[in-house]
């Protein structure tokens, strides 16, 4: 089964939006699992603040590195606990204008993963230091932090998931069978 994990500030928006269409049917049939993790739950201050000025200056606000990294590490440990695998970390996808153009070929490749983590940015993006920390963990585990061109809103994540879910073989088989009836 394919397991999608989305790190976001808006888990309700993600879950409400993704439980429709092909993704919702795939979840209901047990072909995939989907969870949205609220990054704000990992804020270290009493107000749950997750935004800050960019490190090194600049306009706008970015998501702080620490809550994102704490959410990532917690999720990674839960996945390891579930799978019993020590060495492997799940691939992390961050959608950013600086990334590669996301294609159906990439969706096909990513559909082979057992677990995928999507990092959903907000404000002007995320503190680049968290991407460096995650990338370091990924390198140690012979994975890569994939960055694809797109916005990183929950809607953008939904579009990419929809492409990827369509590539999961079990899902394709489920819906071809439904159409044959």
């Amino acid at each position: 089964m394919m397991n999608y994990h989305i790190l976001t500030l808006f888990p309700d928006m993600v879950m409400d939006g993704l439980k429709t269409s092909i993704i919702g049917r795939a979840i209901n049939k047990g072909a995939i699992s989907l969870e949205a993790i609220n990054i704000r739950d990992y804020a270290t201050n009493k107000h749950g603040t997750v935004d800050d000025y960019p490190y090194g200056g600049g306009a706008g606000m970015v998501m702080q590195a620490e809550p994102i990294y704490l959410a990532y590490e917690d999720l990674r440990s839960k996945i390891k606990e579930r799978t019993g695998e020590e060495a492997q970390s799940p691939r992390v996808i961050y959608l950013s204008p600086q990334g590669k153009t996301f294609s159906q070929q990439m969706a096909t490749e990513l559909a082979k993963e057992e677990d995928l983590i999507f990092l959903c940015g907000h404000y002007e993006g995320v503190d680049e230091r968290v991407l460096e920390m995650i990338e370091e963990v990924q390198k140690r585990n012979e994975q890569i932090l994939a960055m694809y061109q797109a916005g990183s809103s929950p809607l953008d994540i939904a579009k990419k998931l929809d492409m990827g879910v369509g590539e999961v073989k079990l899902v394709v088989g489920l819906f071809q069978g439904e159409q044959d009836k």
Side-chain angles (χ1 to χ4, degrees):
M1 175 168 50
M2 180 75 180
N3 303 291
Y4 292 106
H5 314 275
I6 303 168
L7 300 174
T8 180
L9 293 179
F10 305 103
D12 293 336
M13 182 189 312
V14 168
M15 295 306 288
D16 290 346
L18 292 177
K19 285 191 174 179
T20 60
S21 176
I22 189 172
I23 297 172
R25 290 185 287 168
I27 292 168
N28 292 337
K29 300 246 183 205
I32 67 167
S33 74
L34 175 69
E35 78 172 316
I37 294 101
N38 190 347
I39 294 168
R40 196 173 302 280
D41 292 343
Y42 296 87
T44 56
N45 59 62
K46 68 180 181 179
H47 301 292
T49 304
V50 294
D51 63 327
D52 203 353
Y53 295 101
Y55 181 75
M61 303 292 275
V62 295
M63 290 174 61
Q64 295 175 0
E66 186 177 27
I68 296 169
Y69 191 73
L70 291 173
Y72 165 73
E73 280 297 312
D74 187 46
L75 175 58
R76 202 166 72 97
S77 69
K78 288 176 183 173
I79 292 169
K80 282 183 180 180
E81 191 176 295
R82 185 193 79 228
T83 63
E85 295 178 23
E86 269 307 308
Q88 193 67 8
S89 281
R91 183 172 277 171
V92 178
I93 310 298
Y94 175 59
L95 300 178
S96 163
Q98 294 93 350
K100 301 174 192 170
T101 302
F102 194 84
S103 66
Q104 193 63 49
Q105 180 181 355
M106 289 176 180
T108 302
E109 175 74 21
L110 292 173
K112 298 172 186 171
E113 301 285 333
E114 183 178 344
D115 288 279
L116 267 181
I117 300 174
F118 282 86
L119 172 55
C120 188
H122 193 60
Y123 310 114
E124 297 294 322
V126 301
D127 184 325
E128 292 289 324
R129 293 176 295 175
V130 75
L131 299 178
E132 292 168 9
M133 290 187 286
I134 292 172
E135 189 168 39
E136 188 58 38
V137 172
Q138 300 278 290
K139 281 181 188 174
R140 284 196 308 262
N141 291 291
E142 299 179 6
Q143 289 279 14
I144 58 164
L145 171 67
M147 290 180 64
Y148 297 113
Q149 248 180 15
S152 60
S153 73
L155 181 58
D156 295 314
I157 299 287
K159 290 175 190 173
K160 302 309 176 247
L161 279 177
D162 203 45
M163 287 175 75
V165 168
E167 289 296 325
V168 176
K169 298 293 182 231
L170 180 58
V171 174
V172 172
L174 283 172
F175 298 115
Q176 284 176 341
E178 278 184 10
Q179 291 172 353
D180 294 342
K181 291 181 182 179

